[in-house]
Amino acid sequence: MTNDSTYLQRRIIVPITADGGTNPVARTVTISIAFDRSATFRGVPGGGWTCDASRNDRITALSCSRLMPAGQGGTFPFKVAGAAPAGTIRITAPEDPRSDNDTVRFSSGSWILPL
């Protein structure tokens, strides 16, 4: 998680690790985020993700999905603005062989102004 160039905006990058398995079929990966308090959604840089919120929407939850080739990991970079955004991120995909590692907490500290 890093401060972005806009005041109070954070860029959060979620790593996605994929298990190649034996089924070489693309799967839809869904990222669900529950924020501890409302934040302003600022977008997903790089594209390819479909989200249930638009830029500048005030949100307490966000869900985004993307079709990913079998065995291919990646990242989900998203931007939110707010006072110290925090919450829970859950990654799901059909036939996930290990659902015990799909959820993680995140939090951010104070926004630091560059001098």
Side-chain angles (χ1 to χ4, degrees), residues 1 7 17 35 42 51 55 70 77:
M1 177 178 310
Y7 182 62
T17 303
F35 293 92
R42 301 293 290 173
C51 298
R55 183 175 170 81

Side-chain angles (χ1 to χ4, degrees), residues 6-114:
T6 303
Y7 182 62
L8 291 181
Q9 182 169 286
R10 302 286 203 277
R11 178 185 296 251
I12 302 166
I13 299 174
V14 181
I16 301 167
T17 303
D19 179 0
T22 59
N23 191 349
V25 177
R27 299 283 185 235
T28 298
V29 173
T30 301
I31 307 284
S32 301
I33 304 166
F35 293 92
D36 292 347
R37 61 191 152 280
S38 66
T40 301
F41 179 58
R42 301 293 290 173
V44 179
W49 291 90
T50 301
C51 298
D52 64 357
S54 298
R55 183 175 170 81
N56 295 325
D57 282 354
R58 290 291 287 172
I59 57 172
T60 56
L62 176 67
S63 181
C64 299
S65 60
R66 177 180 189 174
L67 187 65
M68 296 184 89
Q72 178 179 323
T75 59
F76 171 68
F78 69 101
K79 294 181 181 183
V80 292
T88 303
I89 298 171
R90 181 179 164 113
I91 302 171
T92 57
E95 300 174 23
D96 182 354
R98 281 196 58 208
S99 60
D100 62 319
N101 64 353
D102 292 351
T103 303
V104 66
R105 289 273 313 152
F106 74 96
S107 63
S108 61
S110 300
W111 198 91
I112 300 177
L113 292 172

